[in-house]
Amino acid sequence: MFMLAGVMKMAAVGITSPNGELLLNVDVDAKGIPYYSLDYKGHPLVKQSRLGLKADELALTDGFSITGTDTVTVDRSWQPVWGEYSDVRDHFRELAVYLKADNPQRKMTVRFRLFDDGLGFRYELPVQDGPNYLTLMEEMTEFNYAGDHKLFCIPGDYDTDEYLWSETTFSELPEALKSYGRHTEAQRVEGVTIQTPMLLKTGDGVYVNMHEAALDGYPAMLLDVDPASYSMKSHLVPDRLGVSAYLQMPFNTPWRTMIVSDDARDILASQLVLNLNEPCAIEDTSWIKPMKFIGVWWEMFTGNEKTWAYSDEYLAKPGVTDYSQLKPNGRHPANTENVKKYIDFAAKHGIDGVLVEGWNEGWEDWASYRKNRQFLFDKPYPDFDLPSLRDYAKEKGVKLIMHHETAANAADYELQLDRAFQFMKDNNYDAVKTGYVGAIIPRSEHHTSQWMVDHVRHVIERAADYQIMVDSHEAPRPTGLCRTYPNWLAQESARGGEFESFGGNPPSHTCMLPFTRLKGGPMDYTPGLFEPRLSYYGEGKDSQAGTTIARQLALYLTMPSPLQMACDLPENYERFPDAFQFIKDVPVDWADSRYLEAEPNQYITVARLDKNSDDWYVGAITDDNARIAVIDLGFLPKGGTYEATIYEDAPDAHWKENPQAYRIRKVQVKPGQKLQQPLAPGGGAAIRITKKN
Amino acid sequence: MFMLAGVMKMAAVGITSPNGELLLNVDVDAKGIPYYSLDYKGHPLVKQSRLGLKADELALTDGFSITGTDTVTVDRSWQPVWGEYSDVRDHFRELAVYLKADNPQRKMTVRFRLFDDGLGFRYELPVQDGPNYLTLMEEMTEFNYAGDHKLFCIPGDYDTDEYLWSETTFSELPEALKSYGRHTEAQRVEGVTIQTPMLLKTGDGVYVNMHEAALDGYPAMLLDVDPASYSMKSHLVPDRLGVSAYLQMPFNTPWRTMIVSDDARDILASQLVLNLNEPCAIEDTSWIKPMKFIGVWWEMFTGNEKTWAYSDEYLAKPGVTDYSQLKPNGRHPANTENVKKYIDFAAKHGIDGVLVEGWNEGWEDWASYRKNRQFLFDKPYPDFDLPSLRDYAKEKGVKLIMHHETAANAADYELQLDRAFQFMKDNNYDAVKTGYVGAIIPRSEHHTSQWMVDHVRHVIERAADYQIMVDSHEAPRPTGLCRTYPNWLAQESARGGEFESFGGNPPSHTCMLPFTRLKGGPMDYTPGLFEPRLSYYGEGKDSQAGTTIARQLALYLTMPSPLQMACDLPENYERFPDAFQFIKDVPVDWADSRYLEAEPNQYITVARLDKNSDDWYVGAITDDNARIAVIDLGFLPKGGTYEATIYEDAPDAHWKENPQAYRIRKVQVKPGQKLQQPLAPGGGAAIRITKKN
């Protein structure tokens, strides 16, 4: 520290990551604008990039001096309730930069954590001498890259993230974004804007996953991209009145995160986002149980005219209409008899749960955004005999999973939330799939604006109070909050398996999600599709899934989640009982994970150790190119002999031409051996490895 | 009916009121625009005035033909759970006009009910062949008057009705509206707009109260006024995105009401608005009990620096801040010891309830619109020992009344509603005063937009489920829904007694409210102010109430409500125990009511018969002119002799100069006798009449 013209001014400050490969520098310029830069292995990765927040009441943008800094090195570990690892190392150097400005007085801290695999930083706003409520209009954070790097991204949108991935560059991004359509009830952002998580690859082969961690009390972040200068700037999702956030001091923003490595496998293995979240807030977690489930849902997607609605008659509204007087449409799978068949199937095959969609009043006249009351969450349809199903499921040792589709009327859901959760507990439900399809009510909000972030957080907290596990669909994309609330088992928040019946997901799609979407937390992708020839949802034309059966099995490894669906119809599993055996066997919670091969949009090979046995599992997938996966069995403990049961594409398998051709073979394998595993175009392989002695 | 050029067209249709004094005509013009007109005693009152609704999806504005009509005469009566009359006659001629338009096909019914004392009509939208969800942008309803009538009104505002009344004319209205300021967090409407209920007086001395009945699922109505053409047009309160309402067919709008008479007393006596509401929806109403109450609240208004907040320290947020660690400010009246004094006082004087404001977490940093979480409704402050107070009140036979101030965060209230009501029942509370001070969250809404109308209706319905009575403050103005939900005892929804400490209410104010605001339902005006010399709330300067003590007693008659507060501090009642006796005696529920004298903005004299005894009570008030009220005791049953206890202004009393000068005298009175009762400027008189033999 030295004094300059009466003003206390710090020199620029810098830290390196524990392994020395990342170098962070922070300074303020002549106008008092704070900025940072990041070097990786001696090369500039992020050039001088602005920091700051702009509020109506207080400009936390410039006029700043650095009044002090703190640095600390932390090396600790924690044990998640579930996940890819039973033990997670949290090792970083932290730099807190204290900023102050006068006329008017303003204070802000920027806290950086530099890990071996990346950077996280956030703004911390202490109680001010001036206004302590801020109407936040803009976040100034920049990420100025040093070249025209490759970008793997989806369009910026205030309401949805269910897009396919573009592989493009800064300069070609505007053209790439033009290829996307617009969702009816979602607001895609005009201009050159993308959303996080996204992945970037430099010409030097450095990968950067950009996202955020611990999104709480703040809107989600999009990125405005300048294709000419290779620059990105934070673009907070506003409410429909144009305000980004209402903040009360003291407040900490979410962490802005960059996972950095020149080895793509490190991106997949990184626990940086989880490390930047708060520890588990739930004292007794014994009731949180990873699980597999089947569901009464795919019948409605497979082109046979089945419906979530009980009747085709026009309705007044739930709670007013007397449903017992409605004429049933006879195409409603959520009926007692049919659900019992699913319970029987789950019981027979050791599947933990059965999700039932379309069980409750309100589906007849779907009118998202149009009705202040859409669904009732404690009123089963007349043909859904809940007490009898509750007892039947209990007798069979199967858990029914609740479905709360809100039609995006989050306000109506809040109003019913306590009753809905109490109804679940009264009827032996432990888990709920929530849905927010459509445009949000309150009508001031978007799916990812601050109010909705608060809403979903509240739902998770209330669910924890009731010991309920949650699987959120159409909620703000995850940012690692599942560490703090491990009852938040999974989210959708990306284009999921259901799109196989909306025209199909290309094989490359699931080669991108682990590099991007999954860095925030597990996805309820709904793998397990055994019948890839589908009818386009609602349109009758063909829809071809971008997969082979063997690939679907591999997804249970490449898309790790403590909540895994077997998405297909029971009858399709009964056609392929030997392949279904893998779904029955595969765990959903892991002691260790090893990423063996990885390239975004192309291929992933991963090995995982079951948390509850010594069995290892391997999953390998490719894009629509055939590939030989090289599986280095170096992870197997030395000295044993092992049997690998390999579920693989048949030699003539092909995602489009011959998706159901698979083989199952058993081979003896040894630690250190390298398996050459062929994968068909759009295919995959799934392997279970058990110790023989 | 006759056929014209292939189009079925009805001739104009008309009906008269049962007594023949009102004549309604309805027709469509050459463009198929429907209109109506209304004559009173042979003179045009409302000239040809347009009808219709404009939605994005369907223009229900023109192209219509009348395809049929239905008329019926109804004469029935009903018995309210509480009110001004034990029996209410509902006598009207009804005309349903069926309208149809082609290209595209549209259907609409306008249903008129013509009473001897006025008109109600509403739009009924049946299920359409076309779109059945409407984004309603505008209601076309006009009220075209025949002259430059006198208007008694307050400014149009989307968020508040807490204004003083203007007495003006159509042509002078623009100037009158300029005199009003703007509330910080309320949106006053630009332009020449007023709100309902309002009163109009023609040059011929015909009074018209304009309002609406049964506001449900629809926004409140303002009136855009054309000062040149003496025309009014409905102006629906939009949400902040500009939409009036989201409607699902079938849908009936609220009734547009005009109470019409050339005798001002008929306006006060009219039950037209209640008659146009649905019958009681609550089966068992035995738990609904009219009552009087005192409250820990006026201490915060009287300039002694007392606060709703427990502490002056800056907070994070309720549920996060550990209140037991906060430093108390020592100026918090909602503490155990003080509340016990109020309970003692209520028990001693037979007052049913004690309201306590400031009992719960969240008041420290009031930040309406800024915080998604403001108050907790199940967390008492550390110095409010709820279990002990609950038991103490029960032992003393007094009911604690709950306070739910939401800071206008209706979304947060909905989220907590079930817990809040359960908490009340668990702690022996039967009634709640709700508050919505500030700007509404959800931020898309106004206090009187459709969503908020739905919100408050939901609160009332849920309260009924828990057998809880409600007193709503800052809610959409009442429209007679208390008939359907008699647990909705009262609302504020006007400038109430609290304004005596915000600069004062002129005496004329309470000579207007019964002609306007009260036509929708009872008001929690909070009469009973015995110390009119106040300190201006929050500003330390003087505030002089516009009243004498005797007038305050009269308000219990002229402002009838099943929920009446004795607003002042117990110590002020102890200074005037003989005057307080009237408050102890006066009932809050009536078998019969007789309006004896009335002129808007000037005076009201009313007599009422106790529902539970043979006692009559009379209240008389005047504006700031002294007056002799003539009380015709014709209502007393013949043959008896009666004693009247008269609480009157002392001869030298004056609202400003000598407000606390009153006399009490007993006189023998006879049926048919006419009492000449002097009233001081800003004064009043209250009389109890008991039968002596």
Side-chain angles (χ1 to χ4, degrees), chain B residues 247-277:
Chain B
L247 303 182
Q248 178 184 7
M249 310 302 95
F251 182 80
N252 300 336
T253 70
W255 297 89
R256 278 63 189 92
T257 61
M258 282 176 276
I259 304 172
V260 181
S261 178
D262 52 13
D263 184 335
R265 297 175 302 177
D266 293 343
I267 306 295
L268 298 177
S270 174
Q271 301 291 291
L272 183 146
V273 171
L274 290 175
N275 276 331
L276 287 168
N277 273 271

mmCIF file of all heavy atoms in Angstrom, chain B residues 247-277:
data_model
loop_
_atom_site.group_PDB
_atom_site.id
_atom_site.type_symbol
_atom_site.label_atom_id
_atom_site.label_comp_id
_atom_site.label_asym_id
_atom_site.label_seq_id
_atom_site.Cartn_x
_atom_site.Cartn_y
_atom_site.Cartn_z
ATOM 1 N N LEU B 247 -59.757 -13.813 -19.346
ATOM 2 C CA LEU B 247 -61.055 -14.416 -19.071
ATOM 3 C C LEU B 247 -61.150 -15.786 -19.733
ATOM 4 O O LEU B 247 -60.649 -15.994 -20.832
ATOM 5 C CB LEU B 247 -62.173 -13.526 -19.606
ATOM 6 C CG LEU B 247 -62.214 -12.083 -19.089
ATOM 7 C CD1 LEU B 247 -63.407 -11.358 -19.690
ATOM 8 C CD2 LEU B 247 -62.277 -12.042 -17.561
ATOM 9 N N GLN B 248 -61.818 -16.667 -19.048
ATOM 10 C CA GLN B 248 -62.147 -17.969 -19.623
ATOM 11 C C GLN B 248 -63.664 -18.074 -19.716
ATOM 12 O O GLN B 248 -64.365 -17.786 -18.752
ATOM 13 C CB GLN B 248 -61.602 -19.093 -18.715
ATOM 14 C CG GLN B 248 -61.963 -20.482 -19.228
ATOM 15 C CD GLN B 248 -61.528 -21.600 -18.293
ATOM 16 O OE1 GLN B 248 -61.074 -21.337 -17.194
ATOM 17 N NE2 GLN B 248 -61.668 -22.819 -18.735
ATOM 18 N N MET B 249 -64.148 -18.469 -20.856
ATOM 19 C CA MET B 249 -65.595 -18.640 -21.021
ATOM 20 C C MET B 249 -66.029 -19.931 -20.327
ATOM 21 O O MET B 249 -65.263 -20.868 -20.325
ATOM 22 C CB MET B 249 -65.981 -18.711 -22.500
ATOM 23 C CG MET B 249 -65.422 -17.609 -23.388
ATOM 24 S SD MET B 249 -65.859 -15.963 -22.877
ATOM 25 C CE MET B 249 -64.428 -15.495 -21.907
ATOM 26 N N PRO B 250 -67.228 -20.060 -19.785
ATOM 27 C CA PRO B 250 -68.196 -18.988 -19.634
ATOM 28 C C PRO B 250 -67.776 -18.031 -18.528
ATOM 29 O O PRO B 250 -67.142 -18.438 -17.561
ATOM 30 C CB PRO B 250 -69.475 -19.728 -19.256
ATOM 31 C CG PRO B 250 -68.990 -20.947 -18.545
ATOM 32 C CD PRO B 250 -67.689 -21.313 -19.202
ATOM 33 N N PHE B 251 -68.146 -16.760 -18.699
ATOM 34 C CA PHE B 251 -67.762 -15.766 -17.699
ATOM 35 C C PHE B 251 -68.831 -14.684 -17.610
ATOM 36 O O PHE B 251 -69.347 -14.224 -18.625
ATOM 37 C CB PHE B 251 -66.422 -15.117 -18.069
ATOM 38 C CG PHE B 251 -65.963 -14.130 -17.041
ATOM 39 C CD1 PHE B 251 -65.344 -14.578 -15.880
ATOM 40 C CD2 PHE B 251 -66.182 -12.768 -17.201
ATOM 41 C CE1 PHE B 251 -64.943 -13.674 -14.901
ATOM 42 C CE2 PHE B 251 -65.782 -11.869 -16.228
ATOM 43 C CZ PHE B 251 -65.162 -12.323 -15.064
ATOM 44 N N ASN B 252 -69.145 -14.316 -16.400
ATOM 45 C CA ASN B 252 -70.029 -13.169 -16.161
ATOM 46 C C ASN B 252 -69.215 -12.051 -15.533
ATOM 47 O O ASN B 252 -68.502 -12.274 -14.557
ATOM 48 C CB ASN B 252 -71.160 -13.538 -15.193
ATOM 49 C CG ASN B 252 -72.019 -14.667 -15.734
ATOM 50 O OD1 ASN B 252 -72.097 -14.889 -16.946
ATOM 51 N ND2 ASN B 252 -72.639 -15.404 -14.840
ATOM 52 N N THR B 253 -69.337 -10.864 -16.075
ATOM 53 C CA THR B 253 -68.654 -9.717 -15.468
ATOM 54 C C THR B 253 -69.373 -9.336 -14.173
ATOM 55 O O THR B 253 -70.479 -9.813 -13.900
ATOM 56 C CB THR B 253 -68.668 -8.499 -16.408
ATOM 57 O OG1 THR B 253 -70.007 -7.997 -16.493
ATOM 58 C CG2 THR B 253 -68.151 -8.849 -17.791
ATOM 59 N N PRO B 254 -68.756 -8.465 -13.382
ATOM 60 C CA PRO B 254 -69.501 -7.865 -12.273
ATOM 61 C C PRO B 254 -70.683 -7.063 -12.816
ATOM 62 O O PRO B 254 -70.727 -6.727 -14.001
ATOM 63 C CB PRO B 254 -68.475 -6.932 -11.621
ATOM 64 C CG PRO B 254 -67.153 -7.341 -12.151
ATOM 65 C CD PRO B 254 -67.379 -7.973 -13.480
ATOM 66 N N TRP B 255 -71.615 -6.764 -11.946
ATOM 67 C CA TRP B 255 -72.745 -5.916 -12.318
ATOM 68 C C TRP B 255 -72.315 -4.456 -12.263
ATOM 69 O O TRP B 255 -71.676 -4.033 -11.289
ATOM 70 C CB TRP B 255 -73.900 -6.101 -11.321
ATOM 71 C CG TRP B 255 -74.470 -7.473 -11.274
ATOM 72 C CD1 TRP B 255 -74.062 -8.499 -10.480
ATOM 73 C CD2 TRP B 255 -75.574 -7.982 -12.040
ATOM 74 N NE1 TRP B 255 -74.830 -9.617 -10.696
ATOM 75 C CE2 TRP B 255 -75.784 -9.322 -11.657
ATOM 76 C CE3 TRP B 255 -76.418 -7.425 -13.014
ATOM 77 C CZ2 TRP B 255 -76.786 -10.124 -12.204
ATOM 78 C CZ3 TRP B 255 -77.414 -8.221 -13.553
ATOM 79 C CH2 TRP B 255 -77.588 -9.551 -13.161
ATOM 80 N N ARG B 256 -72.679 -3.685 -13.267
ATOM 81 C CA ARG B 256 -72.523 -2.243 -13.226
ATOM 82 C C ARG B 256 -73.793 -1.710 -12.591
ATOM 83 O O ARG B 256 -74.896 -2.021 -13.059
ATOM 84 C CB ARG B 256 -72.339 -1.680 -14.642
ATOM 85 C CG ARG B 256 -70.903 -1.792 -15.153
ATOM 86 C CD ARG B 256 -70.416 -3.209 -15.293
ATOM 87 N NE ARG B 256 -68.985 -3.296 -15.574
ATOM 88 C CZ ARG B 256 -68.049 -3.416 -14.636
ATOM 89 N NH1 ARG B 256 -68.359 -3.494 -13.350
ATOM 90 N NH2 ARG B 256 -66.773 -3.482 -14.971
ATOM 91 N N THR B 257 -73.646 -0.909 -11.531
ATOM 92 C CA THR B 257 -74.821 -0.533 -10.748
ATOM 93 C C THR B 257 -75.039 0.971 -10.716
ATOM 94 O O THR B 257 -74.082 1.759 -10.674
ATOM 95 C CB THR B 257 -74.687 -1.026 -9.288
ATOM 96 O OG1 THR B 257 -73.540 -0.424 -8.687
ATOM 97 C CG2 THR B 257 -74.547 -2.535 -9.237
ATOM 98 N N MET B 258 -76.312 1.341 -10.735
ATOM 99 C CA MET B 258 -76.739 2.720 -10.517
ATOM 100 C C MET B 258 -77.886 2.690 -9.521
ATOM 101 O O MET B 258 -78.939 2.119 -9.830
ATOM 102 C CB MET B 258 -77.202 3.352 -11.833
ATOM 103 C CG MET B 258 -76.038 3.773 -12.727
ATOM 104 S SD MET B 258 -76.621 4.416 -14.329
ATOM 105 C CE MET B 258 -76.816 2.855 -15.185
ATOM 106 N N ILE B 259 -77.670 3.236 -8.346
ATOM 107 C CA ILE B 259 -78.765 3.389 -7.382
ATOM 108 C C ILE B 259 -79.361 4.771 -7.654
ATOM 109 O O ILE B 259 -78.631 5.769 -7.659
ATOM 110 C CB ILE B 259 -78.259 3.290 -5.945
ATOM 111 C CG1 ILE B 259 -77.503 1.964 -5.731
ATOM 112 C CG2 ILE B 259 -79.437 3.388 -4.960
ATOM 113 C CD1 ILE B 259 -76.807 1.861 -4.387
ATOM 114 N N VAL B 260 -80.642 4.810 -7.903
ATOM 115 C CA VAL B 260 -81.276 6.045 -8.392
ATOM 116 C C VAL B 260 -82.451 6.427 -7.499
ATOM 117 O O VAL B 260 -83.327 5.596 -7.216
ATOM 118 C CB VAL B 260 -81.789 5.852 -9.839
ATOM 119 C CG1 VAL B 260 -82.422 7.161 -10.347
ATOM 120 C CG2 VAL B 260 -80.665 5.396 -10.761
ATOM 121 N N SER B 261 -82.484 7.679 -7.065
ATOM 122 C CA SER B 261 -83.654 8.186 -6.356
ATOM 123 C C SER B 261 -83.592 9.707 -6.281
ATOM 124 O O SER B 261 -82.503 10.290 -6.308
ATOM 125 C CB SER B 261 -83.733 7.612 -4.937
ATOM 126 O OG SER B 261 -84.850 8.163 -4.250
ATOM 127 N N ASP B 262 -84.743 10.326 -6.161
ATOM 128 C CA ASP B 262 -84.743 11.779 -5.907
ATOM 129 C C ASP B 262 -84.819 12.075 -4.409
ATOM 130 O O ASP B 262 -84.943 13.225 -3.994
ATOM 131 C CB ASP B 262 -85.853 12.497 -6.682
ATOM 132 C CG ASP B 262 -87.211 11.859 -6.454
ATOM 133 O OD1 ASP B 262 -87.341 11.027 -5.519
ATOM 134 O OD2 ASP B 262 -88.146 12.179 -7.216
ATOM 135 N N ASP B 263 -84.737 11.026 -3.608
ATOM 136 C CA ASP B 263 -84.653 11.186 -2.152
ATOM 137 C C ASP B 263 -83.315 10.620 -1.703
ATOM 138 O O ASP B 263 -83.056 9.417 -1.833
ATOM 139 C CB ASP B 263 -85.820 10.438 -1.480
ATOM 140 C CG ASP B 263 -85.844 10.660 0.034
ATOM 141 O OD1 ASP B 263 -84.773 10.952 0.620
ATOM 142 O OD2 ASP B 263 -86.929 10.530 0.614
ATOM 143 N N ALA B 264 -82.448 11.494 -1.184
ATOM 144 C CA ALA B 264 -81.086 11.061 -0.840
ATOM 145 C C ALA B 264 -81.094 9.919 0.175
ATOM 146 O O ALA B 264 -80.187 9.084 0.202
ATOM 147 C CB ALA B 264 -80.279 12.238 -0.296
ATOM 148 N N ARG B 265 -82.145 9.863 0.993
ATOM 149 C CA ARG B 265 -82.203 8.802 2.010
ATOM 150 C C ARG B 265 -82.312 7.421 1.378
ATOM 151 O O ARG B 265 -81.828 6.436 1.922
ATOM 152 C CB ARG B 265 -83.390 9.055 2.946
ATOM 153 C CG ARG B 265 -83.259 10.359 3.711
ATOM 154 C CD ARG B 265 -84.492 10.657 4.524
ATOM 155 N NE ARG B 265 -85.693 10.725 3.676
ATOM 156 C CZ ARG B 265 -86.925 10.922 4.147
ATOM 157 N NH1 ARG B 265 -87.117 11.068 5.457
ATOM 158 N NH2 ARG B 265 -87.938 10.984 3.330
ATOM 159 N N ASP B 266 -82.950 7.370 0.199
ATOM 160 C CA ASP B 266 -83.079 6.077 -0.489
ATOM 161 C C ASP B 266 -81.722 5.526 -0.925
ATOM 162 O O ASP B 266 -81.543 4.306 -1.010
ATOM 163 C CB ASP B 266 -83.969 6.224 -1.730
ATOM 164 C CG ASP B 266 -85.408 6.538 -1.381
ATOM 165 O OD1 ASP B 266 -85.791 6.319 -0.201
ATOM 166 O OD2 ASP B 266 -86.144 7.008 -2.276
ATOM 167 N N ILE B 267 -80.824 6.425 -1.261
ATOM 168 C CA ILE B 267 -79.481 5.968 -1.648
ATOM 169 C C ILE B 267 -78.838 5.241 -0.468
ATOM 170 O O ILE B 267 -78.244 4.171 -0.608
ATOM 171 C CB ILE B 267 -78.582 7.152 -2.084
ATOM 172 C CG1 ILE B 267 -79.265 7.987 -3.184
ATOM 173 C CG2 ILE B 267 -77.200 6.667 -2.503
ATOM 174 C CD1 ILE B 267 -79.487 7.276 -4.492
ATOM 175 N N LEU B 268 -78.986 5.834 0.726
ATOM 176 C CA LEU B 268 -78.385 5.221 1.911
ATOM 177 C C LEU B 268 -79.067 3.901 2.267
ATOM 178 O O LEU B 268 -78.422 2.956 2.716
ATOM 179 C CB LEU B 268 -78.466 6.191 3.092
ATOM 180 C CG LEU B 268 -77.717 7.518 2.900
ATOM 181 C CD1 LEU B 268 -77.928 8.427 4.119
ATOM 182 C CD2 LEU B 268 -76.229 7.275 2.667
ATOM 183 N N ALA B 269 -80.360 3.846 2.056
ATOM 184 C CA ALA B 269 -81.100 2.652 2.462
ATOM 185 C C ALA B 269 -80.982 1.509 1.453
ATOM 186 O O ALA B 269 -81.262 0.353 1.783
ATOM 187 C CB ALA B 269 -82.579 3.017 2.647
ATOM 188 N N SER B 270 -80.544 1.815 0.251
ATOM 189 C CA SER B 270 -80.583 0.810 -0.821
ATOM 190 C C SER B 270 -79.731 -0.420 -0.524
ATOM 191 O O SER B 270 -78.588 -0.319 -0.065
ATOM 192 C CB SER B 270 -80.094 1.438 -2.135
ATOM 193 O OG SER B 270 -80.011 0.438 -3.127
ATOM 194 N N GLN B 271 -80.299 -1.563 -0.808
ATOM 195 C CA GLN B 271 -79.569 -2.824 -0.690
ATOM 196 C C GLN B 271 -79.298 -3.413 -2.077
ATOM 197 O O GLN B 271 -79.032 -4.609 -2.217
ATOM 198 C CB GLN B 271 -80.387 -3.807 0.162
ATOM 199 C CG GLN B 271 -80.693 -3.300 1.561
ATOM 200 C CD GLN B 271 -79.451 -3.218 2.429
ATOM 201 O OE1 GLN B 271 -78.875 -4.235 2.805
ATOM 202 N NE2 GLN B 271 -79.011 -2.004 2.738
ATOM 203 N N LEU B 272 -79.350 -2.570 -3.080
ATOM 204 C CA LEU B 272 -79.223 -3.022 -4.470
ATOM 205 C C LEU B 272 -77.918 -3.777 -4.726
ATOM 206 O O LEU B 272 -77.916 -4.837 -5.367
ATOM 207 C CB LEU B 272 -79.353 -1.805 -5.394
ATOM 208 C CG LEU B 272 -79.314 -2.045 -6.901
ATOM 209 C CD1 LEU B 272 -80.234 -1.046 -7.614
ATOM 210 C CD2 LEU B 272 -77.905 -1.916 -7.458
ATOM 211 N N VAL B 273 -76.828 -3.250 -4.209
ATOM 212 C CA VAL B 273 -75.534 -3.901 -4.472
ATOM 213 C C VAL B 273 -75.483 -5.284 -3.825
ATOM 214 O O VAL B 273 -75.051 -6.263 -4.447
ATOM 215 C CB VAL B 273 -74.374 -3.002 -3.995
ATOM 216 C CG1 VAL B 273 -73.057 -3.750 -4.050
ATOM 217 C CG2 VAL B 273 -74.295 -1.732 -4.848
ATOM 218 N N LEU B 274 -75.962 -5.380 -2.592
ATOM 219 C CA LEU B 274 -76.002 -6.692 -1.943
ATOM 220 C C LEU B 274 -76.938 -7.632 -2.698
ATOM 221 O O LEU B 274 -76.646 -8.816 -2.878
ATOM 222 C CB LEU B 274 -76.453 -6.555 -0.486
ATOM 223 C CG LEU B 274 -75.465 -5.880 0.461
ATOM 224 C CD1 LEU B 274 -76.098 -5.710 1.843
ATOM 225 C CD2 LEU B 274 -74.166 -6.670 0.573
ATOM 226 N N ASN B 275 -78.077 -7.099 -3.160
ATOM 227 C CA ASN B 275 -79.033 -7.941 -3.875
ATOM 228 C C ASN B 275 -78.437 -8.534 -5.150
ATOM 229 O O ASN B 275 -78.848 -9.609 -5.581
ATOM 230 C CB ASN B 275 -80.290 -7.131 -4.231
ATOM 231 C CG ASN B 275 -81.261 -7.092 -3.067
ATOM 232 O OD1 ASN B 275 -81.310 -8.028 -2.258
ATOM 233 N ND2 ASN B 275 -82.038 -6.018 -2.969
ATOM 234 N N LEU B 276 -77.505 -7.843 -5.754
ATOM 235 C CA LEU B 276 -76.904 -8.334 -6.996
ATOM 236 C C LEU B 276 -75.746 -9.300 -6.736
ATOM 237 O O LEU B 276 -75.127 -9.799 -7.671
ATOM 238 C CB LEU B 276 -76.435 -7.154 -7.853
ATOM 239 C CG LEU B 276 -77.581 -6.377 -8.509
ATOM 240 C CD1 LEU B 276 -77.085 -5.069 -9.097
ATOM 241 C CD2 LEU B 276 -78.265 -7.226 -9.573
ATOM 242 N N ASN B 277 -75.453 -9.553 -5.482
ATOM 243 C CA ASN B 277 -74.435 -10.548 -5.160
ATOM 244 C C ASN B 277 -75.076 -11.914 -4.928
ATOM 245 O O ASN B 277 -76.273 -12.018 -4.688
ATOM 246 C CB ASN B 277 -73.635 -10.120 -3.936
ATOM 247 C CG ASN B 277 -72.460 -9.222 -4.310
ATOM 248 O OD1 ASN B 277 -71.374 -9.711 -4.584
ATOM 249 N ND2 ASN B 277 -72.701 -7.909 -4.357
#
